[in-house]
Amino acid sequence: MNYDFDRIIDRRQTCSVKWDFNQQIFGCEDVLPLWVADMDFEAPEAVVEALVDRAKHGIFGYSNGMDGYYEALIAWLRDRHSWEIRRDWISFSPGVVFALNELVRSLTKPEDKILIQSPVYPPFYKAIKNNGREVVNSQLRVAHGRYVMDFEDLEEKFSSGVKMMILCNPHNPVGRVWEREELNRLGRLCLDHKVIVISDEIHGDLIYEGYHHIPFASLSPELALQSIVCTAPSKTFNLAGLQTSNLIIPNAEYRQAYEASRDLTGIHNPNVFGITALEAAYREGGDWLNQLMHYLKESVEFLKTSFAQELPQIKMIQPEGTYLVWLDFRELKMEPRELQNFLVHKAGVGLNPGFHFGPGGEGFARLNIGCSRSVLEEGFERIRAAIGELA
């Protein structure tokens, strides 16, 4: 069937963090929210139907994944990403951010060094700092308009005693889909320095034509035993509110340590609707996702052309994956908080401020294109009009 991603669905008064909390988040109501990473599109019809059918059963007791749940996840990773995994490698988590915190707690010690690559998803910092570990940053470099890893810096930082790395693959917010050669080079460094890798691959299904997502643990048996891959259907199929994610942990020692730490929180099993949605999405959501990626590609092209022709002072970093676009506002010569104030109170758009993503994010902002084209056009027009008033 053909899906209509142009259709606008009113999300107000649905307890939506994105649409119902402008005042609390931005300090005013009249803001077009284009920030937090969920989409304004309905989930695949098969998922909605499965949830409705499950709700009609009328009993919502304690639940756990049965064979179909695991079979759907295993088949998805095999068919979409050419990665064969075993059922006993799979561990439940209510979310990837929860998992990051539990993995930091269970696999490292207080004051251990944990490396990240900024600008990067803000909860990476919190998972390290809030658990009493030390953040070590290896900032990404820009080469020919594309972000790349600084391998010389990585080797130097690893040599200082780094115990763990949190990898963003694909990278949020810069949109890189790391290539096999890059990941292999990183993997060799991690093996040499005995660095455990947590690979956040929550955006791994959202890949544009011409690029290919490679699960980090699929690179070699050695790296599989020294890494944890975080997956979820939440970004792919817009199911974040159902709080169902999975960790792929081939190393039995790591898996047992994570599960023991997780169980101390009192969280053991996925909720019944998360189980139902995951299985339906992975079994029947492939065509929906293919159409979504085509629509998002057209949205990227709209933005790229619009900025180049009408706002050349704003540079768009071409995303290779995700529905997040990294925008460079540095030619406006505004201080980071001045830029955020300008976007919110002058342009009336709610973006994620770049400085929240750490060093290298100053002067940037992250824009979520997971919305209808008309909403995206309105957001662009608001930015264009506000910048026009600066002249």
Side-chain angles (χ1 to χ4, degrees):
M1 66 179 293
N2 292 322
Y3 292 94
D4 182 9
F5 295 104
D6 281 321
R7 184 165 71 92
I8 295 178
I9 301 170
D10 188 359
R11 297 182 62 188
R12 294 178 177 87
Q13 301 303 311
T14 65
C15 302
S16 165
V17 170
K18 184 177 180 182
W19 285 94
D20 286 325
F21 295 89
N22 277 348
Q23 185 66 47
Q24 294 91 324
I25 293 163
F26 297 109
C28 58
E29 287 291 346
D30 187 22
V31 177
L32 184 66
L34 296 167
W35 64 289
V36 68
D38 72 6
M39 296 185 285
D40 294 337
F41 306 131
E42 279 187 324
E45 185 174 351
V47 173
V48 177
E49 290 177 351
L51 289 170
V52 170
D53 287 345
R54 183 62 187 83
K56 287 180 178 177
H57 183 265
I59 299 174
F60 312 111
Y62 296 115
S63 55
N64 210 342
M66 297 178 69
D67 288 346
Y69 176 95
Y70 293 99
E71 290 166 359
L73 172 58
I74 291 167
W76 182 265
L77 292 175
R78 180 188 65 234
D79 297 342
R80 281 272 165 172
H81 303 301
S82 303
W83 187 25
E84 291 281 355
I85 69 166
R86 293 182 357 204
R87 176 169 172 167
D88 64 326
W89 294 355
I90 302 169
S91 289
F92 163 73
S93 173
V96 169
V97 172
F98 173 91
L100 294 179
N101 282 271
E102 291 303 320
L103 289 166
V104 165
R105 277 197 288 271
S106 59
L107 299 180
T108 66
K109 299 175 182 177
E111 300 183 3
D112 274 354
K113 295 180 178 181
I114 300 178
L115 184 140
I116 57 175
Q117 295 170 296
S118 74
V120 74
Y121 185 47
F124 283 18
Y125 297 90
K126 293 180 180 179
I128 300 169
K129 291 181 178 179
N130 291 351
N131 290 294
R133 277 63 170 174
E134 179 183 343
V135 173
V136 175
N137 183 36
S138 180
Q139 188 171 324
L140 298 175
R141 297 189 297 107
V142 179
H144 308 292
R146 191 180 191 219
Y147 282 84
V148 297
M149 298 187 192
D150 188 335
F151 288 103
E152 290 72 22
D153 185 62
L154 279 168
E155 184 160 23
E156 179 182 334
K157 298 289 174 58
F158 285 160
S159 298
S160 73
V162 166
K163 301 297 184 183
M164 174 182 281
M165 173 184 185
I166 306 178
L167 172 68
C168 207
N169 176 35
H171 194 91
N172 169 16
V174 307
R176 273 302 316 277
V177 174
W178 304 115
E179 297 173 358
R180 186 175 297 275
E181 181 181 352
E182 294 171 299
L183 292 173
N184 276 329
R185 188 173 177 184
L186 174 64
R188 287 193 295 271
L189 288 174
C190 292
L191 289 172
D192 289 345
H193 295 278
K194 297 181 173 55
V195 175
I196 300 170
V197 178
I198 303 174
S199 187
D200 176 0
E201 303 189 6
I202 197 169
H203 295 277
D205 298 320
L206 299 160
I207 308 297
Y208 295 105
E209 186 178 359
Y211 301 95
H212 179 63
H213 172 66
I214 300 167
F216 187 81
S218 72
L219 292 169
S220 73
E222 294 78 15
L223 284 171
L225 291 175
Q226 202 166 299
S227 59
I228 298 96
V229 171
C230 304
T231 70
S234 53
K235 304 301 181 191
T236 309
F237 300 105
N238 211 28
L239 304 175
L242 298 181
Q243 298 183 334
T244 300
S245 303
N246 289 285
L247 310 186
I248 315 303
I249 315 178
N251 186 312
E253 182 180 345
Y254 293 172
R255 191 167 61 250
Q256 291 163 9
Y258 161 72
E259 291 178 352
S261 181
R262 179 200 64 195
D263 291 351
L264 287 174
T265 69
I267 294 175
H268 305 281
N269 305 325
N271 75 72
V272 66
F273 291 109
I275 293 169
T276 301
L278 179 144
E279 185 172 347
Y282 283 153
R283 289 192 184 281
E284 302 182 67
D287 183 54
W288 181 93
L289 176 58
N290 293 340
Q291 292 184 46
L292 169 70
M293 293 313 300
H294 178 76
Y295 188 84
L296 292 176
K297 180 182 178 182
E298 291 181 338
S299 293
V300 168
E301 291 305 311
F302 158 74
L303 277 183
K304 182 179 179 180
T305 300
S306 298
F307 279 116
Q309 293 180 353
E310 300 184 53
L311 288 176
Q313 62 271 58
I314 311 303
K315 304 296 187 294
M316 189 191 90
I317 305 300
Q318 182 79 26
E320 300 168 358
T322 82
Y323 50 79
L324 306 167
V325 173
W326 192 231
L327 298 175
D328 183 352
F329 289 87
R330 288 178 294 178
E331 283 193 25
L332 298 185
K333 300 189 184 305
M334 295 182 182
E335 293 297 318
R337 294 188 184 280
E338 180 187 7
L339 173 61
Q340 177 67 356
N341 185 70
F342 169 78
L343 290 170
V344 170
H345 298 286
K346 300 296 184 183
V349 293
L351 310 184
N352 292 93
F355 64 89
H356 283 179
F357 297 84
E362 304 87 350
F364 287 79
R366 191 188 76 171
L367 184 151
N368 178 352
I369 64 169
C371 58
S372 71
R373 195 76 37 73
S374 61
V375 171
L376 192 60
E377 289 168 353
E378 180 184 348
F380 175 81
E381 176 56 29
R382 289 188 181 202
I383 295 171
R384 189 203 61 75
I387 290 177
E389 293 180 2
L390 293 175

